[in-house]
């Protein structure tokens, strides 16, 4: 049990920054709990708790990666009950993160009433109601947190396109499935508990039995879908530059985009704002490619006659060639959905421009990443993402002022050009010994 | 001897606050095979990557075939080959595809040589890189640097994951490459026995400085262990120039010295009236003693 | 032909020098014998050829080997090699010193050592 407790502790205190986040989160939640417990109608102060929860969650965001790394390590197989303890630690982490939600929902459920929580709880009916709501929100939060950690795991452990999309897919399902449940009032404690039991049973069984499965599979070697793999990797003659950069095969990405897009259409229905919101997110995927361009270009340095400045231009060209396919696919989807849902042309135009904006901004933001992902780029990315989403929703409103929208878009284009300027300057001095965070660490220990 | 292949003067490299390389000056001539030795973290990888322009020196300069390494022109890059410490293979390709992709960047690529080496070294051309073992991947990384017959070949721990037979095959191939066409080879390795076979010059990097730079033969002749015996029960005090460490034990003493010459032996024997027996040291022993 | 140990503290070129000198002096390498080329020797023993060619150059300077263009190096004829007594004595000097030191360590007397040498000399006469 001590091992489990130690594991959970590590998840929340993995890096100095995350440790700070956890601390801040706990402090905010504690503060809000105090309000809930002692003051009447704490509704307005609930944002403190939400903020605290976000901090707490961010503080534990390394849990999936740590979990994955430990799960694959040799030592976990050797330690007594290692895999089980690891699984338990993950479950406990999720319970801990969901706990404040349950506690705070008590405050929410009595907002508007007179009197503080302890006073009101003396009434048995109120107590049953409050505890019922608490149990419900707690179990819902457990489910939600579990899926969210899964999404984060895809995003952080497989730092490639496949991972990015699995993560996005999970996030999307996450936003819509429970949202629909709550909307249709199909949520209930029993249903939640059942889901938790089934999901964790399946996950737990799979996790614990994985080593045996792997051993059995190793005994049977099979040529897996060689033909299909060849089709997917595409013909590479004449595009070796793109192969090394990772931009040789846009079809894979197009295929990976199409499915979630169609899924999204079914789920979102015909709410223009949400639709535009998701389109801009998808157009941002171009940043995933340009973000790894710096480290992948290392293999190109000695192999061609490009100077660093010339390499930037060649890389830019290759990425835009790749983007063209992705954007083309998105545009087709826009047109199809727009015609199908009979959106006004203005909305379609807004959709096009947002997608282009999203692509340009994220492409050049990605190209700016030449020393690993550091704070300036993270902040810029978050700002850009929120601005685009806000712009998307704004453009979807019925009473939108088009000139405002276009003015804002013009600003963002200027921002994208600024990004390009910065990216180009950074590429002229690119240092391949530090272009990845782990490389930077290695370099300093050289 | 003109150092036409690589020339460096007062090379310094720091990453932020940490100084990795300090004040290095060296030259490489065609036909040199340089073995680079150093503890982990001494700066070997930084030095090798600096020579090829992956990063820029903080001070000083390094030139390859007369051109500054940070801005190597295309024709010079075609004469340089590099095997990095962490391989840069693309997992989803097959060996044949990977070779084809890299070959396309070079005007001259010796496919016959690569095919022969693939079969000699047991590299399955149709295997997918994702499914290859670490040793196979390393062999492929080495092949990728041989194909265009570079005049300067730089290898960063190229054999760390190879078994002795694979290593021997690799050494033989490197020897052929270097003797037949006067190429320059620089390789860093922890496997001292390989360096002893292959290198004619040794660089020992200690804490970012070139602690030793010279012929392997001279190194073995100048760093020796002395067994000193006095005539009486106690050893008289004596002074040895260039001593690295000394151990006294009554009438005996053992000392490891650098820059040893036969004249120094005579001087010592006469001045301190002791008897000196010289023990020569292998390269691994020398490396350990230099770091005591 | 040679026993070479790259891990020894004795540089390879010196190992070759000593072995060639001893083999020539003992008659194991009669004049006119062709020596393996630098490249062959390097590849056979997997060692750097520069150290081998250094040894060969030194031996050529000493007059023990002869260089021929287009053909491998050969052992020089005895006339060139028949150096004066002091030089030959100097060659065996290190071995003598080692033997004397060892004998002294074992506390053998000069006479006993000479007796042992004489016995070996007579045994080796074939």
């Amino acid at each position: 049990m001590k091992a489990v407790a130690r594991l959970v502790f590590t998840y929340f205190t993995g890096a100095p920054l995350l440790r700070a986040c956890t601390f801040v989160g706990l402090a905010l939640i504690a503060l809000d709990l105090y309000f809930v417990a002692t003051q009447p109608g704490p509704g307005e102060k609930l944002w403190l708790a939400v903020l605290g929860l976000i901090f707490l969650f961010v503080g534990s965001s390394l849990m999936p990666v740590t979990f994955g790394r430990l799960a694959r390590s040799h030592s976990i197989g050797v330690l007594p009950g290692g895999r089980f303890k690891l699984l338990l630690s993950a479950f406990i982490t999720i319970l801990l993160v969901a706990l404040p939600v349950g506690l705070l929902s008590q405050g929410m459920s009595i907002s508007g009433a007179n009197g503080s929580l302890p006073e009101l709880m003396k009434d048995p009916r109120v107590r049953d109601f409050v505890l019922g709501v608490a149990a419900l929100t707690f179990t819902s939060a457990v489910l939600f947190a579990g899926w969210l950690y899964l999404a984060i795991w895809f995003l952080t452990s497989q730092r490639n396109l496949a991972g990015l999309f699995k993560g996005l897919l999970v996030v999307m399902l996450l936003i819509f499935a429970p949202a629909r449940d709550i909307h249709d009032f199909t949520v209930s404690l029993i249903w939640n508990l059942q889901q938790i039991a089934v999901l964790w049973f399946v996950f737990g069984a799979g996790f614990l039995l994985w080593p045996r499965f792997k051993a059995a599979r190793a005994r049977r070697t099979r040529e897996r879908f060689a033909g299909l793999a060849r089709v997917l990797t595409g013909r590479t003659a004449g595009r070796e530059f793109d192969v090394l950069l990772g931009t040789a095969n846009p079809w894979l990405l197009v295929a990976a985009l199409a499915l979630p897009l169609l899924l999204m259409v079914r789920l979102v229905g015909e709410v223009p704002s949400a639709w535009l919101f998701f389109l801009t997110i998808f157009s941002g995927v171009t940043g995933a490619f340009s973000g790894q361009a710096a480290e992948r270009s290392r293999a190109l340095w000695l192999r061609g006659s490009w100077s660093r400045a010339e390499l930037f231009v060649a890389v830019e060209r290759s990425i835009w060639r790749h983007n063209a396919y992705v954007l083309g696919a998105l545009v087709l989807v826009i047109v199809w959905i727009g015609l199908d849902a009979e959106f006004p042309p203005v909305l379609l135009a807004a959709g096009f421009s947002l997608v282009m904006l999203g692509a340009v901004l994220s492409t050049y933001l990605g190209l700016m990443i030449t020393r690993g992902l550091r704070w300036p780029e993270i902040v810029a990315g978050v700002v850009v993402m929120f601005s685009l989403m806000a712009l998307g929703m704004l453009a979807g409103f019925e009473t939108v002022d088009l000139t405002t929208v276009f003015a804002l878009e013009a600003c963002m284009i200027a921002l994208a050009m600024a990004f390009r300027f910065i990216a180009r300057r950074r590429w002229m001095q690119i240092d391949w010994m530090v272009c990845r965070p782990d490389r930077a660490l290695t370099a300093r220990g050289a | 001897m003109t150092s036409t292949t690589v020339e460096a003067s007062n090379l310094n490299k720091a990453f932020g606050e940490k100084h990795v390389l300090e004040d290095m000056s060296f030259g490489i001539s065609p036909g040199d095979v340089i073995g680079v030795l150093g503890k982990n973290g001494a700066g070997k990888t930084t030095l090798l990557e600096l020579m090829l322009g992956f990063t820029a020196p903080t001070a000083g300069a390094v030139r390859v075939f007369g051109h500054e390494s940070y801005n190597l022109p295309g024709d010079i890059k075609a004469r340089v080959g590099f095997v990095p410490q962490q391989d840069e293979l693309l997992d989803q390709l097959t060996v044949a595809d990977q070779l084809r992709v890299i070959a396309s960047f070079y005007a001259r690529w010796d496919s016959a040589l690569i095919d022969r080496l693939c079969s000699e070294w047991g590299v399955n051309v149709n295997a997918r890189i994702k499914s290859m073992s670490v040793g196979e991947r390393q062999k492929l990384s080495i092949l990728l640097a041989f194909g265009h017959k570079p005049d300067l070949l730089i290898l960063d721990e190229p054999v760390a994951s190879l078994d002795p037979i694979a290593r021997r095959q690799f050494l033989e191939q490197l020897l052929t490459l270097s003797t037949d066409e006067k190429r320059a080879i620089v390789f860093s390795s922890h496997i001292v026995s390989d360096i002893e076979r292959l290198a004619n010059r040794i660089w020992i990097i200690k804490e970012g400085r070139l602690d030793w730079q010279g012929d392997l033969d001279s190194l073995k002749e100048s760093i020796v262990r002395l067994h000193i015996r006095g005539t009486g029960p106690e050893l008289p005090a004596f002074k040895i120039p260039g001593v690295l460490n000394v151990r006294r034990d009554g009438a005996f003493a053992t000392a490891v010295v650098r820059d040893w010459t036969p004249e120094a032996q005579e001087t010592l024997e006469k001045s301190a009236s002791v008897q000196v027996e010289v023990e020569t040291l292998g390269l691994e022993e020398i490396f350990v003693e230099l770091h005591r | 032909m040679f026993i070479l140990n790259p891990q020894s503290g004795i540089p390879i070129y010196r190992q070759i020098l000593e072995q060639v000198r001893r083999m020539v002096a003992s008659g194991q390498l009669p004049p006119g014998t062709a020596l393996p080329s630098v490249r062959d020797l390097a590849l056979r023993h997997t060692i750097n050829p520069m150290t081998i060619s250094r040894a060969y150059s030194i031996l050529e300077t000493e007059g023990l080997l002869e260089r021929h263009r287009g053909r491998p190096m050969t052992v020089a004829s005895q006339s060139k090699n028949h150096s004066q007594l002091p030089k030959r004595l100097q060659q065996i000097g290190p071995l003598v010193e080692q033997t004397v030191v060892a004998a002294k360590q074992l506390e053998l007397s000069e006479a006993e050592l000479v007796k042992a040498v004489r016995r070996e000399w007579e045994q080796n006469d074939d």
Side-chain angles (χ1 to χ4, degrees), chain C residues 12-120:
Chain C
I12 291 179
Y13 85 94
R14 209 176 270 283
Q15 293 177 39
I16 296 178
L17 284 179
E18 286 177 11
Q19 288 183 38
V20 168
R21 285 176 189 150
R22 202 169 312 150
M23 289 203 277
V24 168
S26 71
Q28 256 182 289
L29 279 178
T33 320
L35 283 150
S37 74
V38 169
R39 189 179 185 278
D40 281 349
L41 209 52
L43 284 177
R44 196 178 319 158
H45 291 269
T46 320
I47 50 182
N48 190 299
M50 281 196 180
T51 193
I52 299 172
S53 72
R54 182 175 176 187
Y56 279 11
S57 296
I58 295 178
L59 290 167
E60 188 191 352
T61 322
E62 282 180 8
L64 252 71
L65 297 182
E66 267 175 349
R67 192 183 292 274
H68 306 280
R69 206 183 332 210
R71 287 190 292 133
M73 290 187 93
T74 56
V75 179
S77 46
Q78 283 294 3
S79 54
K80 276 204 216 136
N81 176 37
H82 233 39
S83 37
Q84 299 88 349
L85 184 63
K87 242 184 145 185
R88 282 181 282 146
L89 279 174
Q90 189 188 52
Q91 284 220 10
I92 205 167
L95 276 175
V96 171
E97 185 186 336
Q98 275 183 39
T99 315
V100 169
V101 166
K104 283 194 174 173
Q105 280 180 348
L106 289 164
E107 291 180 8
L108 295 170
S109 71
E110 189 181 338
E112 283 163 342
L113 178 61
V114 169
K115 210 157 63 167
V117 170
R118 196 167 290 150
R119 209 181 358 218
E120 184 59 40

Side-chain angles (χ1 to χ4, degrees), chain A residues 77-91:
Chain A
V78 171
L79 291 169
R83 289 185 88 85
F84 178 70
K85 286 186 186 155
L86 191 58
L87 190 64
L88 196 59
S89 70
F91 188 64

Side-chain angles (χ1 to χ4, degrees), chain A residues 240-241 243-244 296 298-299 301-306 308 428-434 439 443-446, chain B residues 13 15 18 20 41-43 46 49 52-55 69-70 74 77 82 84 86 88 90 101-102 104-106:
Chain A
E240 290 80 12
F241 184 96
V243 172
L244 286 183
R296 292 193 73 143
R298 198 184 132 98
W301 166 244
L302 278 184
R303 301 208 152 98
S305 52
W306 314 278
R308 281 168 161 77
M428 279 170 33
Q429 301 186 17
I430 199 171
D431 179 341
W432 279 291
M433 285 201 79
V434 296
R439 265 189 210 283
R444 262 175 250 127
Chain B
K13 177 68 186 175
F15 288 102
K18 171 145 178 144
V20 179
T46 310
E49 302 212 346
L52 292 170
F54 282 105
T55 184
S69 67
Y70 196 69
K77 286 193 208 177
F82 180 52
Q86 291 167 296
E88 289 169 353
L90 298 170
V101 165
I102 299 297
S104 72
F105 287 96
Y106 295 104

Side-chain angles (χ1 to χ4, degrees), chain A residues 31-346:
Chain A
L31 194 62
D32 212 54
L33 277 174
Y34 170 73
F35 287 141
V36 163
T38 58
Q39 291 178 12
E44 318 82 61
K45 305 245 178 14
L46 232 44
W47 64 266
L48 262 182
V50 172
L51 204 59
L53 266 171
I54 293 180
F55 270 102
L56 187 65
F57 189 78
V58 167
S60 66
S61 58
L62 273 187
M63 188 271 271
V65 170
T66 316
F67 181 85
R69 214 172 281 158
L70 282 173
R72 262 170 274 160
S73 73
H74 291 296
S75 46
I76 208 74
V78 171
L79 291 169
R83 289 185 88 85
F84 178 70
K85 286 186 186 155
L86 191 58
L87 190 64
L88 196 59
S89 70
F91 188 64
I92 289 178
T93 309
I94 292 180
L95 290 180
L96 286 176
V97 170
L99 194 61
V101 178
L103 291 175
L104 291 162
S105 70
Q106 300 178 359
M108 224 175 76
S109 57
I110 59 146
S111 70
N114 296 327
S116 71
L117 189 64
E119 297 168 8
L120 291 170
M121 290 273 270
K122 293 195 182 111
D123 178 351
R125 287 175 308 151
V126 173
R127 186 174 60 225
D128 287 343
F129 172 68
V130 166
L131 287 179
V133 169
L136 198 59
T137 48
F138 175 64
T139 48
S140 300
V142 167
L143 279 169
F144 190 81
W147 286 114
L148 206 55
Y149 276 124
L150 181 67
I152 291 188
W153 186 72
F154 282 130
L155 286 168
T156 53
S157 75
Q158 307 175 21
R159 287 181 304 160
N160 57 27
L161 211 60
L164 180 67
F165 273 89
K166 286 181 204 167
L168 276 179
L169 198 56
V170 171
V171 167
M172 268 187 7
L173 289 173
L174 200 55
I175 294 180
F176 288 103
R180 274 237 298 238
D181 281 346
I182 291 174
H183 182 72
D184 301 340
F185 287 128
T186 51
V187 69
S188 77
L189 187 60
I190 302 296
W191 173 226
N192 277 355
L193 287 174
Q194 281 174 338
Q195 277 188 64
I196 294 177
V198 167
L199 288 171
W200 277 92
F201 180 73
V202 169
F203 178 61
F207 183 69
L208 292 174
L209 294 174
W210 176 247
R212 253 174 263 187
F213 175 65
K214 222 164 67 162
R217 196 175 62 162
R219 280 181 242 130
R220 304 182 296 122
T221 54
R222 47 198 172 114
E223 246 308 296
R224 276 185 246 142
F225 304 114
L228 184 65
R230 196 163 291 279
V231 166
L232 287 179
T233 49
R235 274 172 304 215
T236 58
R239 299 219 305 272
E240 290 80 12
F241 184 96
D242 299 334
V243 172
L244 286 183
L245 199 60
T247 57
N249 192 12
W251 301 116
L252 195 61
L253 180 57
V254 168
L257 269 178
L259 186 60
L261 264 176
L262 294 173
L263 203 63
M264 174 202 87
V265 165
R266 290 286 143 246
L267 291 174
V268 170
E270 295 155 15
V271 180
S273 291
W275 177 79
L276 287 172
F277 170 87
F278 278 103
L279 270 178
T280 45
I281 290 184
F282 276 100
S283 68
V285 80
T286 54
F289 280 91
S290 58
Q292 32 162 357
E295 56 181 273
R296 292 193 73 143
S297 67
R298 198 184 132 98
L300 288 164
W301 166 244
L302 278 184
R303 301 208 152 98
S305 52
W306 314 278
S307 65
R308 281 168 161 77
E310 288 165 356
L311 193 58
F312 175 77
V313 172
V315 164
E316 190 187 17
R317 197 177 309 144
S318 173
I319 289 182
W320 274 110
R321 205 198 120 270
H322 183 259
N323 283 355
Y325 289 95
V326 176
L327 293 177
L330 280 178
V331 163
L332 282 176
V333 170
I334 289 174
V335 170
W336 181 52
I337 293 177
L339 291 178
D340 191 49
E342 286 168 22
F343 283 149
V346 161

